Amino acid sequence: MGYVSICDADKTIQAVKNGLNVVFWFSIDLANQNGVPAVVPSAVQPLPDLVCIAAITNTLAEMNIPVTHMVSVGGWGAPDPVTTFSAAEMWATWKDWN
Protein backbone atom coordinates (compact mmCIF):
# COMPACT_ATOMS: atom_id res chain seq x y z
CA MET A 1 0.00 0.00 0.00
CA GLY A 2 1.06 3.56 -0.55
CA TYR A 3 -0.20 7.06 0.08
CA VAL A 4 -0.51 9.53 -2.79
CA SER A 5 -0.79 13.19 -1.83
CA ILE A 6 -0.31 14.71 -5.29
CA CYS A 7 -1.80 13.00 -8.33
CA ASP A 8 1.17 12.04 -10.49
CA ALA A 9 0.12 9.50 -13.14
CA ASP A 10 3.62 8.36 -14.10
CA LYS A 11 4.79 7.83 -10.52
CA THR A 12 1.59 6.12 -9.40
CA ILE A 13 1.38 3.79 -12.41
CA GLN A 14 5.06 2.88 -12.03
CA ALA A 15 4.56 2.13 -8.32
CA VAL A 16 1.62 -0.16 -9.19
CA LYS A 17 3.69 -1.89 -11.88
CA ASN A 18 6.34 -2.43 -9.19
CA GLY A 19 3.84 -4.21 -6.94
CA LEU A 20 1.78 -1.55 -5.15
CA ASN A 21 -1.75 -2.92 -5.00
CA VAL A 22 -3.55 -0.51 -2.62
CA VAL A 23 -3.44 3.24 -3.25
CA PHE A 24 -4.62 5.63 -0.53
CA TRP A 25 -5.43 9.04 -1.97
CA PHE A 26 -4.75 11.66 0.68
CA SER A 27 -7.02 13.12 2.13
CA ILE A 28 -10.56 14.23 2.90
CA ASP A 29 -12.51 15.22 5.98
CA LEU A 30 -16.09 14.11 6.59
CA ALA A 31 -17.45 17.25 8.23
CA ASN A 32 -17.31 20.94 7.41
CA GLN A 33 -16.18 23.71 9.81
CA ASN A 34 -19.62 23.68 11.45
CA GLY A 35 -19.50 19.93 12.15
CA VAL A 36 -22.09 19.18 9.47
CA PRO A 37 -21.58 15.97 7.43
CA ALA A 38 -19.70 16.90 4.24
CA VAL A 39 -16.88 15.62 2.04
CA VAL A 40 -14.42 18.52 2.18
CA PRO A 41 -10.69 19.13 1.74
CA SER A 42 -8.66 17.99 4.72
CA ALA A 43 -7.21 20.52 7.13
CA VAL A 44 -3.78 20.04 5.54
CA GLN A 45 -4.56 19.57 1.83
CA PRO A 46 -7.14 20.27 -0.89
CA LEU A 47 -9.43 17.50 -2.13
CA PRO A 48 -7.65 14.89 -4.24
CA ASP A 49 -7.73 15.57 -8.01
CA LEU A 50 -10.65 13.34 -8.98
CA VAL A 51 -10.12 13.75 -12.74
CA CYS A 52 -6.51 12.64 -12.42
CA ILE A 53 -7.46 9.73 -10.14
CA ALA A 54 -10.11 8.59 -12.63
CA ALA A 55 -7.57 8.70 -15.47
CA ILE A 56 -5.07 6.62 -13.48
CA THR A 57 -7.75 4.09 -12.46
CA ASN A 58 -8.86 3.74 -16.07
CA THR A 59 -5.29 3.31 -17.31
CA LEU A 60 -4.59 0.61 -14.73
CA ALA A 61 -7.86 -1.16 -15.56
CA GLU A 62 -6.95 -1.13 -19.26
CA MET A 63 -3.60 -2.65 -18.31
CA ASN A 64 -5.44 -5.38 -16.34
CA ILE A 65 -3.45 -4.56 -13.21
CA PRO A 66 -5.52 -5.24 -10.08
CA VAL A 67 -5.33 -2.38 -7.61
CA THR A 68 -7.62 -1.10 -4.88
CA HIS A 69 -8.13 2.67 -4.57
CA MET A 70 -9.11 4.14 -1.21
CA VAL A 71 -9.27 7.64 0.22
CA SER A 72 -7.72 8.57 3.54
CA VAL A 73 -9.95 10.29 6.07
CA GLY A 74 -7.69 12.30 8.33
CA GLY A 75 -4.10 11.34 9.06
CA TRP A 76 -0.73 13.10 8.76
CA GLY A 77 -1.90 16.17 10.63
CA ALA A 78 -5.47 16.11 9.31
CA PRO A 79 -8.16 15.63 11.97
CA ASP A 80 -9.63 12.24 12.79
CA PRO A 81 -13.13 11.55 11.44
CA VAL A 82 -16.01 13.26 13.22
CA THR A 83 -18.32 10.76 14.92
CA THR A 84 -21.12 13.07 16.06
CA PHE A 85 -23.49 12.04 13.26
CA SER A 86 -24.82 8.65 12.23
CA ALA A 87 -23.40 6.36 9.57
CA ALA A 88 -26.66 6.80 7.63
CA GLU A 89 -26.17 10.60 7.58
CA MET A 90 -22.58 10.21 6.37
CA TRP A 91 -23.57 7.63 3.74
CA ALA A 92 -26.22 10.02 2.33
CA THR A 93 -23.64 12.82 2.24
CA TRP A 94 -21.07 10.53 0.56
CA LYS A 95 -23.60 9.41 -2.08
CA ASP A 96 -24.50 13.05 -2.82
CA TRP A 97 -20.82 13.92 -3.23
CA ASN A 98 -19.85 10.83 -5.19
Side-chain angles (χ1 to χ4, degrees):
M1 85 169 192
Y3 277 89
V4 179
S5 59
I6 296 173
C7 195
D8 181 326
D10 293 335
K11 255 177 126 168
T12 305
I13 291 168
Q14 188 59 51
V16 171
K17 285 181 178 179
N18 290 342
L20 181 71
N21 63 3
V22 178
V23 177
F24 283 92
W25 299 97
F26 184 72
S27 155
I28 62 171
D29 288 342
L30 298 178
N32 66 20
Q33 296 173 1
N34 300 321
V36 175
V39 177
V40 295
S42 75
V44 296
Q45 176 166 331
L47 282 173
D49 182 344
L50 301 179
V51 173
C52 180
I53 292 169
I56 290 172
T57 346
N58 290 336
T59 298
L60 293 169
E62 289 169 3
M63 298 169 75
N64 292 317
I65 300 175
V67 62
T68 299
H69 297 270
M70 302 183 86
V71 64
S72 171
V73 178
W76 287 345
D80 291 333
V82 173
T83 58
T84 55
F85 40 84
S86 71
E89 289 173 291
M90 191 61 243
W91 178 246
T93 301
W94 183 265
K95 292 293 283 179
D96 286 345
W97 175 76
N98 194 19

Coordinates of all heavy atoms in Angstrom, one line a residue:
M1 N 0.8 -1.2 0.0 CA 0.0 0.0 0.0 C 0.9 1.2 0.0 O 2.0 1.2 0.5 CB -0.9 0.0 1.2 CG -0.4 0.5 2.4 SD -1.6 0.8 3.7 CE -0.7 1.7 4.8
G2 N 0.3 2.3 -0.5 CA 1.1 3.6 -0.5 C 0.1 4.7 -0.5 O -1.0 4.6 -1.0
Y3 N 0.6 5.8 0.1 CA -0.2 7.1 0.1 C 0.2 7.9 -1.1 O 1.4 8.1 -1.4 CB 0.0 7.8 1.4 CG -0.8 7.3 2.5 CD1 -0.3 6.3 3.4 CD2 -2.0 7.9 2.8 CE1 -1.1 5.9 4.4 CE2 -2.8 7.5 3.9 CZ -2.3 6.5 4.7 OH -3.1 6.0 5.7
V4 N -0.8 8.6 -1.7 CA -0.5 9.5 -2.8 C -1.1 10.9 -2.4 O -2.3 11.0 -2.2 CB -1.1 9.0 -4.1 CG1 -0.8 10.1 -5.2 CG2 -0.6 7.7 -4.5
S5 N -0.3 11.9 -2.2 CA -0.8 13.2 -1.8 C -0.9 14.1 -3.0 O -1.7 15.1 -2.9 CB 0.1 13.8 -0.8 OG 1.4 14.0 -1.3
I6 N -0.2 13.9 -4.1 CA -0.3 14.7 -5.3 C -0.5 13.7 -6.4 O 0.3 12.8 -6.6 CB 0.9 15.6 -5.5 CG1 1.1 16.6 -4.4 CG2 0.9 16.3 -6.8 CD1 2.3 17.4 -4.4
C7 N -1.5 13.9 -7.2 CA -1.8 13.0 -8.3 C -0.7 13.1 -9.4 O -0.7 14.1 -10.1 CB -3.2 13.3 -8.9 SG -3.8 11.9 -9.9
D8 N 0.1 12.1 -9.5 CA 1.2 12.0 -10.5 C 1.0 10.7 -11.2 O 1.4 9.7 -10.7 CB 2.5 12.2 -9.8 CG 3.7 12.1 -10.8 OD1 3.6 11.4 -11.8 OD2 4.7 12.8 -10.5
A9 N 0.5 10.7 -12.4 CA 0.1 9.5 -13.1 C 1.3 8.6 -13.3 O 1.3 7.4 -13.0 CB -0.5 9.8 -14.5
D10 N 2.4 9.2 -13.8 CA 3.6 8.4 -14.1 C 4.1 7.7 -12.9 O 4.4 6.5 -12.9 CB 4.7 9.2 -14.7 CG 4.4 9.7 -16.1 OD1 3.5 9.1 -16.8 OD2 4.9 10.8 -16.5
K11 N 4.3 8.4 -11.8 CA 4.8 7.8 -10.5 C 3.9 6.8 -10.0 O 4.3 5.7 -9.5 CB 5.0 8.9 -9.5 CG 6.4 9.4 -9.2 CD 6.4 10.5 -8.2 CE 7.2 10.2 -7.0 NZ 7.5 11.3 -6.2
T12 N 2.6 7.1 -10.0 CA 1.6 6.1 -9.4 C 1.5 4.8 -10.2 O 1.5 3.7 -9.7 CB 0.2 6.8 -9.3 OG1 0.3 8.0 -8.5 CG2 -0.8 5.9 -8.6
I13 N 1.4 5.0 -11.5 CA 1.4 3.8 -12.4 C 2.7 3.0 -12.3 O 2.6 1.7 -12.2 CB 1.1 4.2 -13.9 CG1 -0.3 4.7 -14.0 CG2 1.3 3.0 -14.8 CD1 -0.7 5.4 -15.3
Q14 N 3.8 3.6 -12.2 CA 5.1 2.9 -12.0 C 5.1 2.1 -10.7 O 5.5 1.0 -10.6 CB 6.3 3.8 -12.1 CG 7.6 3.1 -12.2 CD 7.7 2.1 -13.3 OE1 7.4 2.4 -14.5 NE2 8.0 0.8 -13.0
A15 N 4.6 2.8 -9.6 CA 4.6 2.1 -8.3 C 3.7 0.9 -8.4 O 4.0 -0.2 -7.8 CB 4.1 3.1 -7.3
V16 N 2.5 1.0 -9.1 CA 1.6 -0.2 -9.2 C 2.3 -1.3 -10.0 O 2.2 -2.4 -9.7 CB 0.3 0.3 -9.8 CG1 -0.6 -0.9 -10.1 CG2 -0.5 1.2 -8.8
K17 N 3.0 -0.9 -11.1 CA 3.7 -1.9 -11.9 C 4.7 -2.6 -11.0 O 5.1 -3.8 -11.3 CB 4.4 -1.2 -13.1 CG 3.4 -0.9 -14.2 CD 4.2 -0.2 -15.3 CE 3.4 0.1 -16.5 NZ 4.1 0.8 -17.6
N18 N 5.3 -1.9 -10.1 CA 6.3 -2.4 -9.2 C 5.8 -3.2 -8.0 O 6.5 -3.7 -7.2 CB 7.2 -1.3 -8.6 CG 8.1 -0.7 -9.7 OD1 8.3 -1.3 -10.8 ND2 8.6 0.5 -9.4
G19 N 4.4 -3.4 -8.0 CA 3.8 -4.2 -6.9 C 2.9 -3.5 -6.0 O 2.2 -4.2 -5.2
L20 N 2.8 -2.2 -6.0 CA 1.8 -1.5 -5.2 C 0.4 -2.0 -5.6 O 0.0 -1.9 -6.7 CB 1.9 0.0 -5.3 CG 1.0 0.8 -4.5 CD1 1.4 0.8 -3.0 CD2 1.0 2.3 -4.9
N21 N -0.4 -2.5 -4.6 CA -1.8 -2.9 -5.0 C -2.9 -2.2 -4.2 O -4.0 -2.5 -4.4 CB -1.9 -4.4 -4.9 CG -1.7 -5.0 -3.5 OD1 -1.5 -4.2 -2.6 ND2 -1.7 -6.3 -3.4
V22 N -2.5 -1.3 -3.3 CA -3.5 -0.5 -2.6 C -3.0 0.9 -2.6 O -1.9 1.2 -2.1 CB -3.8 -1.0 -1.2 CG1 -4.8 -0.1 -0.5 CG2 -4.3 -2.4 -1.1
V23 N -3.8 1.8 -3.2 CA -3.4 3.2 -3.2 C -4.4 4.0 -2.4 O -5.6 4.0 -2.5 CB -3.5 3.8 -4.7 CG1 -3.2 5.3 -4.7 CG2 -2.6 3.0 -5.6
F24 N -3.8 4.7 -1.4 CA -4.6 5.6 -0.5 C -4.4 7.0 -1.0 O -3.3 7.6 -1.0 CB -4.2 5.6 0.9 CG -4.6 4.3 1.7 CD1 -3.8 3.2 1.7 CD2 -5.8 4.3 2.3 CE1 -4.3 2.1 2.4 CE2 -6.3 3.2 3.0 CZ -5.5 2.1 3.0
W25 N -5.5 7.6 -1.5 CA -5.4 9.0 -2.0 C -5.6 9.9 -0.7 O -6.6 9.7 0.0 CB -6.5 9.3 -3.0 CG -6.3 8.4 -4.2 CD1 -6.9 7.2 -4.5 CD2 -5.3 8.7 -5.3 NE1 -6.4 6.7 -5.7 CE2 -5.4 7.6 -6.2 CE3 -4.4 9.7 -5.6 CZ2 -4.7 7.5 -7.3 CZ3 -3.7 9.6 -6.7 CH2 -3.8 8.5 -7.6
F26 N -4.8 10.8 -0.5 CA -4.7 11.7 0.7 C -5.3 13.0 0.4 O -4.9 13.7 -0.6 CB -3.3 11.8 1.2 CG -3.2 12.5 2.5 CD1 -3.6 12.0 3.7 CD2 -2.7 13.8 2.5 CE1 -3.5 12.7 4.8 CE2 -2.6 14.5 3.7 CZ -3.0 13.9 4.9
S27 N -6.2 13.5 1.0 CA -7.0 13.1 2.1 C -8.3 14.0 2.1 O -8.3 15.0 1.6 CB -6.2 13.3 3.4 OG -7.0 13.5 4.5
I28 N -9.3 13.5 2.8 CA -10.6 14.2 2.9 C -11.0 14.3 4.4 O -10.5 13.5 5.2 CB -11.7 13.6 2.1 CG1 -12.0 12.2 2.6 CG2 -11.4 13.7 0.6 CD1 -13.3 11.6 2.0
D29 N -11.8 15.2 4.7 CA -12.5 15.2 6.0 C -14.0 14.9 5.7 O -14.5 15.1 4.6 CB -12.4 16.6 6.7 CG -10.9 16.8 7.2 OD1 -10.2 15.9 7.3 OD2 -10.6 18.0 7.4
L30 N -14.7 14.5 6.7 CA -16.1 14.1 6.6 C -17.0 15.0 7.3 O -18.2 14.7 7.6 CB -16.3 12.7 7.1 CG -15.5 11.6 6.3 CD1 -15.8 10.2 6.9 CD2 -15.9 11.6 4.8
A31 N -16.6 16.2 7.6 CA -17.5 17.3 8.2 C -16.9 18.6 7.9 O -15.7 18.8 7.8 CB -17.5 17.1 9.7
N32 N -17.8 19.6 7.7 CA -17.3 20.9 7.4 C -17.0 21.7 8.7 O -17.0 21.1 9.8 CB -18.3 21.7 6.6 CG -19.6 22.0 7.3 OD1 -19.7 21.9 8.5 ND2 -20.7 22.3 6.5
Q33 N -16.6 22.9 8.6 CA -16.2 23.7 9.8 C -17.3 23.8 10.9 O -17.0 24.0 12.1 CB -15.8 25.1 9.4 CG -14.7 25.2 8.5 CD -14.5 26.7 8.0 OE1 -15.2 27.6 8.3 NE2 -13.5 26.8 7.2
N34 N -18.5 23.6 10.5 CA -19.6 23.7 11.5 C -20.0 22.3 12.0 O -21.0 22.2 12.7 CB -20.8 24.3 10.8 CG -20.6 25.7 10.3 OD1 -19.9 26.5 11.0 ND2 -21.1 26.1 9.2
G35 N -19.2 21.3 11.7 CA -19.5 19.9 12.2 C -20.6 19.2 11.4 O -21.1 18.2 11.9
V36 N -21.0 19.8 10.3 CA -22.1 19.2 9.5 C -21.5 18.1 8.5 O -20.4 18.4 8.0 CB -22.8 20.3 8.7 CG1 -23.8 19.7 7.7 CG2 -23.5 21.3 9.6
P37 N -22.1 17.0 8.3 CA -21.6 16.0 7.4 C -21.3 16.6 6.0 O -22.2 17.2 5.4 CB -22.7 14.9 7.4 CG -23.5 15.1 8.6 CD -23.4 16.5 8.9
A38 N -20.1 16.4 5.6 CA -19.7 16.9 4.2 C -18.4 16.2 3.8 O -17.6 15.9 4.7 CB -19.5 18.4 4.3
V39 N -18.2 16.1 2.5 CA -16.9 15.6 2.0 C -16.2 16.9 1.6 O -16.5 17.6 0.7 CB -17.0 14.7 0.9 CG1 -15.7 14.3 0.3 CG2 -17.8 13.4 1.3
V40 N -15.1 17.3 2.4 CA -14.4 18.5 2.2 C -12.9 18.3 2.2 O -12.4 17.2 2.6 CB -14.8 19.5 3.3 CG1 -16.3 19.9 3.2 CG2 -14.5 19.0 4.7
P41 N -12.2 19.3 1.7 CA -10.7 19.1 1.7 C -10.3 18.9 3.2 O -10.9 19.4 4.1 CB -10.2 20.5 1.2 CG -11.3 21.0 0.4 CD -12.6 20.5 1.1
S42 N -9.2 18.2 3.4 CA -8.7 18.0 4.7 C -8.1 19.3 5.2 O -7.9 20.2 4.5 CB -7.6 16.9 4.7 OG -6.4 17.4 4.2
A43 N -7.8 19.3 6.5 CA -7.2 20.5 7.1 C -5.8 20.8 6.6 O -5.3 21.9 6.7 CB -7.2 20.3 8.6
V44 N -5.2 19.8 6.0 CA -3.8 20.0 5.5 C -3.6 20.0 4.0 O -2.5 20.2 3.5 CB -2.8 19.0 6.2 CG1 -2.8 19.2 7.7 CG2 -3.2 17.6 5.9
Q45 N -4.7 19.7 3.3 CA -4.6 19.6 1.8 C -5.9 19.7 1.1 O -6.9 19.4 1.7 CB -4.0 18.2 1.5 CG -3.9 17.9 0.1 CD -3.0 16.7 -0.2 OE1 -2.1 16.4 0.6 NE2 -3.3 16.0 -1.2
P46 N -5.9 20.2 -0.1 CA -7.1 20.3 -0.9 C -7.6 18.9 -1.2 O -6.9 17.9 -1.1 CB -6.8 21.0 -2.2 CG -5.3 20.9 -2.3 CD -4.7 20.7 -0.9
L47 N -8.9 18.8 -1.7 CA -9.4 17.5 -2.1 C -8.5 16.9 -3.2 O -7.9 17.6 -4.0 CB -10.8 17.7 -2.7 CG -12.0 17.9 -1.8 CD1 -13.3 18.2 -2.5 CD2 -12.2 16.7 -0.9
P48 N -8.4 15.5 -3.2 CA -7.6 14.9 -4.2 C -8.2 15.2 -5.6 O -9.4 15.5 -5.8 CB -7.8 13.4 -3.9 CG -8.2 13.3 -2.5 CD -9.0 14.6 -2.2
D49 N -7.3 15.3 -6.6 CA -7.7 15.6 -8.0 C -8.5 14.4 -8.6 O -7.9 13.4 -9.1 CB -6.5 15.9 -8.8 CG -6.8 16.3 -10.2 OD1 -7.9 16.0 -10.8 OD2 -5.8 16.8 -10.9
L50 N -9.8 14.5 -8.6 CA -10.7 13.3 -9.0 C -10.5 13.0 -10.5 O -10.6 11.8 -10.9 CB -12.1 13.6 -8.6 CG -12.4 13.9 -7.1 CD1 -13.8 14.1 -6.9 CD2 -11.9 12.7 -6.3
V51 N -10.3 14.0 -11.3 CA -10.1 13.8 -12.7 C -8.8 13.0 -13.0 O -8.8 12.0 -13.7 CB -10.1 15.1 -13.5 CG1 -9.8 14.9 -15.0 CG2 -11.5 15.8 -13.4
C52 N -7.8 13.3 -12.3 CA -6.5 12.6 -12.4 C -6.6 11.2 -11.9 O -6.2 10.3 -12.5 CB -5.4 13.4 -11.7 SG -3.8 12.7 -11.7
I53 N -7.3 11.1 -10.7 CA -7.5 9.7 -10.1 C -8.2 8.8 -11.1 O -7.9 7.7 -11.3 CB -8.1 9.8 -8.8 CG1 -7.2 10.5 -7.8 CG2 -8.6 8.5 -8.3 CD1 -7.9 10.9 -6.5
A54 N -9.3 9.4 -11.7 CA -10.1 8.6 -12.6 C -9.3 8.2 -13.8 O -9.4 7.0 -14.3 CB -11.3 9.4 -13.1
A55 N -8.4 9.0 -14.3 CA -7.6 8.7 -15.5 C -6.6 7.6 -15.1 O -6.4 6.6 -15.9 CB -6.8 9.9 -16.0
I56 N -6.0 7.7 -13.9 CA -5.1 6.6 -13.5 C -5.8 5.3 -13.3 O -5.3 4.2 -13.7 CB -4.4 7.0 -12.2 CG1 -3.4 8.2 -12.4 CG2 -3.6 5.9 -11.5 CD1 -2.8 8.8 -11.2
T57 N -7.0 5.3 -12.7 CA -7.7 4.1 -12.5 C -8.1 3.5 -13.8 O -8.0 2.2 -13.9 CB -9.0 4.3 -11.7 OG1 -9.0 5.6 -11.1 CG2 -9.2 3.4 -10.6
N58 N -8.5 4.3 -14.7 CA -8.9 3.7 -16.1 C -7.6 3.1 -16.8 O -7.7 2.1 -17.4 CB -9.5 4.8 -16.9 CG -10.9 5.2 -16.5 OD1 -11.6 4.4 -15.8 ND2 -11.3 6.4 -16.8
T59 N -6.5 3.8 -16.7 CA -5.3 3.3 -17.3 C -4.9 2.0 -16.7 O -4.6 1.0 -17.4 CB -4.1 4.3 -17.1 OG1 -4.5 5.5 -17.8 CG2 -2.8 3.8 -17.7
L60 N -4.9 1.9 -15.4 CA -4.6 0.6 -14.7 C -5.6 -0.5 -15.1 O -5.2 -1.7 -15.3 CB -4.5 0.8 -13.2 CG -3.3 1.7 -12.8 CD1 -3.5 2.1 -11.3 CD2 -2.0 1.1 -13.0
A61 N -6.8 -0.2 -15.2 CA -7.9 -1.2 -15.6 C -7.6 -1.7 -17.0 O -7.7 -2.9 -17.2 CB -9.3 -0.6 -15.4
E62 N -7.3 -0.7 -17.9 CA -7.0 -1.1 -19.3 C -5.7 -2.0 -19.3 O -5.6 -2.9 -20.2 CB -6.8 0.1 -20.1 CG -8.0 0.9 -20.4 CD -7.8 2.3 -21.0 OE1 -6.6 2.6 -21.3 OE2 -8.8 3.0 -21.2
M63 N -4.8 -1.8 -18.4 CA -3.6 -2.7 -18.3 C -3.8 -4.0 -17.6 O -2.9 -4.8 -17.4 CB -2.5 -1.9 -17.6 CG -2.1 -0.6 -18.4 SD -1.0 0.5 -17.4 CE 0.5 -0.4 -17.5
N64 N -5.1 -4.2 -17.1 CA -5.4 -5.4 -16.3 C -4.6 -5.6 -15.1 O -4.2 -6.7 -14.8 CB -5.4 -6.6 -17.2 CG -6.5 -6.6 -18.3 OD1 -7.6 -6.2 -18.0 ND2 -6.2 -6.9 -19.5
I65 N -4.2 -4.5 -14.4 CA -3.5 -4.6 -13.2 C -4.4 -4.4 -12.0 O -5.0 -3.3 -11.9 CB -2.4 -3.5 -13.2 CG1 -1.4 -3.6 -14.3 CG2 -1.6 -3.5 -11.8 CD1 -0.3 -2.6 -14.4
P66 N -4.6 -5.4 -11.2 CA -5.5 -5.2 -10.1 C -5.0 -4.3 -9.0 O -3.8 -4.5 -8.6 CB -5.7 -6.7 -9.6 CG -4.4 -7.4 -10.0 CD -4.0 -6.7 -11.3
V67 N -5.7 -3.3 -8.7 CA -5.3 -2.4 -7.6 C -6.6 -1.8 -6.9 O -7.6 -1.6 -7.6 CB -4.5 -1.2 -8.2 CG1 -5.2 -0.4 -9.2 CG2 -3.9 -0.3 -7.1
T68 N -6.5 -1.7 -5.6 CA -7.6 -1.1 -4.9 C -7.3 0.4 -4.6 O -6.2 0.7 -4.2 CB -7.8 -1.9 -3.6 OG1 -8.1 -3.2 -3.9 CG2 -8.9 -1.3 -2.7
H69 N -8.3 1.2 -4.8 CA -8.1 2.7 -4.6 C -9.0 3.0 -3.4 O -10.2 2.7 -3.3 CB -8.6 3.5 -5.8 CG -7.7 3.2 -7.0 ND1 -6.6 4.0 -7.3 CD2 -7.8 2.3 -8.0 CE1 -6.0 3.5 -8.4 NE2 -6.8 2.5 -8.8
M70 N -8.4 3.7 -2.4 CA -9.1 4.1 -1.2 C -8.8 5.6 -1.0 O -7.8 6.1 -1.5 CB -8.7 3.3 0.0 CG -8.9 1.8 -0.3 SD -8.5 0.8 1.2 CE -10.0 0.9 2.0
V71 N -9.6 6.3 -0.1 CA -9.3 7.6 0.2 C -9.0 7.7 1.7 O -9.8 7.0 2.5 CB -10.4 8.6 -0.2 CG1 -11.7 8.3 0.5 CG2 -10.0 10.1 -0.1
S72 N -8.0 8.4 2.1 CA -7.7 8.6 3.5 C -8.6 9.6 4.2 O -8.8 10.7 3.6 CB -6.3 9.0 3.7 OG -6.0 9.3 5.0
V73 N -9.2 9.3 5.3 CA -9.9 10.3 6.1 C -9.1 10.6 7.3 O -8.8 9.8 8.1 CB -11.3 9.7 6.5 CG1 -12.1 10.7 7.3 CG2 -12.1 9.3 5.3
G74 N -8.6 11.9 7.3 CA -7.7 12.3 8.3 C -6.3 11.7 8.1 O -6.0 11.1 7.1
G75 N -5.5 11.9 9.1 CA -4.1 11.3 9.1 C -3.1 12.4 8.7 O -3.4 13.5 8.2
W76 N -1.8 12.2 9.1 CA -0.7 13.1 8.8 C -1.1 14.6 9.1 O -0.9 15.4 8.3 CB -0.3 13.0 7.3 CG 0.5 11.7 7.0 CD1 1.0 10.9 7.9 CD2 0.7 11.2 5.7 NE1 1.6 9.9 7.2 CE2 1.5 10.1 5.8 CE3 0.4 11.7 4.4 CZ2 1.9 9.3 4.8 CZ3 0.8 10.9 3.3 CH2 1.6 9.8 3.5
G77 N -1.6 14.8 10.2 CA -1.9 16.2 10.6 C -3.3 16.6 10.4 O -3.8 17.6 10.9
A78 N -4.1 15.8 9.5 CA -5.5 16.1 9.3 C -6.3 15.5 10.5 O -5.9 14.5 11.0 CB -5.9 15.5 8.0
P79 N -7.4 16.1 10.8 CA -8.2 15.6 12.0 C -8.7 14.2 11.7 O -9.0 13.8 10.6 CB -9.3 16.7 12.1 CG -9.3 17.4 10.8 CD -8.0 17.3 10.2
D80 N -9.0 13.5 12.8 CA -9.6 12.2 12.8 C -11.1 12.5 12.4 O -11.6 13.5 12.5 CB -9.6 11.6 14.2 CG -8.2 11.1 14.5 OD1 -7.4 10.8 13.6 OD2 -7.9 11.0 15.8
P81 N -11.7 11.4 11.9 CA -13.1 11.6 11.4 C -14.0 12.0 12.6 O -13.8 11.6 13.7 CB -13.5 10.1 11.0 CG -12.2 9.5 10.7 CD -11.2 10.1 11.6
V82 N -15.0 12.8 12.3 CA -16.0 13.3 13.2 C -17.0 12.1 13.4 O -17.4 11.5 12.4 CB -16.7 14.5 12.7 CG1 -17.9 14.9 13.6 CG2 -15.8 15.7 12.5
T83 N -17.4 11.9 14.6 CA -18.3 10.8 14.9 C -19.6 11.3 15.6 O -20.3 10.5 16.2 CB -17.6 9.7 15.8 OG1 -17.2 10.4 17.0 CG2 -16.4 9.1 15.1
T84 N -19.9 12.5 15.4 CA -21.1 13.1 16.1 C -22.4 12.9 15.3 O -23.5 13.2 15.7 CB -20.9 14.6 16.3 OG1 -20.6 15.2 15.1 CG2 -19.8 14.8 17.3
F85 N -22.3 12.3 14.0 CA -23.5 12.0 13.3 C -23.5 10.6 12.9 O -22.5 9.9 13.0 CB -23.6 12.9 12.0 CG -22.3 13.2 11.3 CD1 -21.8 12.2 10.4 CD2 -21.5 14.3 11.6 CE1 -20.6 12.5 9.8 CE2 -20.3 14.5 11.0 CZ -19.9 13.6 10.0
S86 N -24.7 10.1 12.5 CA -24.8 8.6 12.2 C -24.2 8.2 10.9 O -23.9 9.0 10.0 CB -26.3 8.3 12.2 OG -26.9 8.8 11.0
A87 N -23.9 6.9 10.8 CA -23.4 6.4 9.6 C -24.4 6.6 8.4 O -23.9 6.9 7.3 CB -23.1 4.9 9.8
A88 N -25.7 6.6 8.7 CA -26.7 6.8 7.6 C -26.6 8.2 7.1 O -26.7 8.5 5.9 CB -28.1 6.5 8.2
E89 N -26.3 9.2 8.0 CA -26.2 10.6 7.6 C -24.9 10.7 6.7 O -24.9 11.4 5.7 CB -26.1 11.5 8.8 CG -27.3 11.7 9.6 CD -27.1 12.5 10.8 OE1 -26.4 12.0 11.8 OE2 -27.5 13.7 10.9
M90 N -23.8 10.1 7.1 CA -22.6 10.2 6.4 C -22.7 9.5 5.0 O -22.2 10.0 4.0 CB -21.4 9.6 7.2 CG -20.1 9.9 6.6 SD -19.7 11.7 6.5 CE -19.6 12.0 4.7
W91 N -23.4 8.4 5.0 CA -23.6 7.6 3.7 C -24.4 8.5 2.7 O -24.0 8.6 1.6 CB -24.3 6.3 4.0 CG -24.5 5.6 2.7 CD1 -25.8 5.3 2.2 CD2 -23.6 5.0 1.8 NE1 -25.6 4.6 1.0 CE2 -24.3 4.4 0.7 CE3 -22.2 5.0 1.8 CZ2 -23.7 3.8 -0.3 CZ3 -21.6 4.3 0.7 CH2 -22.3 3.7 -0.3
A92 N -25.4 9.1 3.2 CA -26.2 10.0 2.3 C -25.4 11.2 1.8 O -25.4 11.5 0.6 CB -27.4 10.6 3.1
T93 N -24.5 11.7 2.7 CA -23.6 12.8 2.2 C -22.6 12.3 1.2 O -22.4 13.0 0.2 CB -22.9 13.4 3.5 OG1 -23.9 13.9 4.4 CG2 -22.0 14.5 3.1
W94 N -22.0 11.1 1.5 CA -21.1 10.5 0.6 C -21.7 10.3 -0.8 O -21.1 10.6 -1.8 CB -20.5 9.2 1.2 CG -19.5 8.6 0.3 CD1 -19.7 7.6 -0.6 CD2 -18.1 8.9 0.3 NE1 -18.5 7.3 -1.2 CE2 -17.5 8.0 -0.6 CE3 -17.3 9.8 1.0 CZ2 -16.1 8.1 -0.9 CZ3 -15.9 9.8 0.8 CH2 -15.4 9.0 -0.2
K95 N -22.9 9.7 -0.8 CA -23.6 9.4 -2.1 C -23.9 10.7 -2.9 O -23.8 10.7 -4.1 CB -24.9 8.6 -1.8 CG -24.7 7.2 -1.3 CD -24.0 6.3 -2.3 CE -25.1 5.9 -3.3 NZ -24.5 5.0 -4.4
D96 N -24.3 11.8 -2.2 CA -24.5 13.1 -2.8 C -23.2 13.6 -3.4 O -23.2 14.1 -4.6 CB -25.0 14.1 -1.8 CG -26.5 13.9 -1.5 OD1 -27.2 13.1 -2.2 OD2 -26.9 14.5 -0.5
W97 N -22.1 13.4 -2.7 CA -20.8 13.9 -3.2 C -20.3 13.1 -4.4 O -19.8 13.6 -5.3 CB -19.8 13.9 -2.1 CG -18.4 14.3 -2.5 CD1 -18.0 15.6 -2.8 CD2 -17.3 13.4 -2.7 NE1 -16.6 15.5 -3.1 CE2 -16.2 14.2 -3.1 CE3 -17.1 12.1 -2.5 CZ2 -15.0 13.7 -3.3 CZ3 -15.9 11.5 -2.8 CH2 -14.8 12.3 -3.2
N98 N -20.4 11.8 -4.2 CA -19.8 10.8 -5.2 C -20.8 10.5 -6.3 O -20.8 9.6 -7.0 CB -19.4 9.6 -4.4 CG -18.5 8.7 -5.2 OD1 -17.9 9.1 -6.2 ND2 -18.4 7.4 -4.8

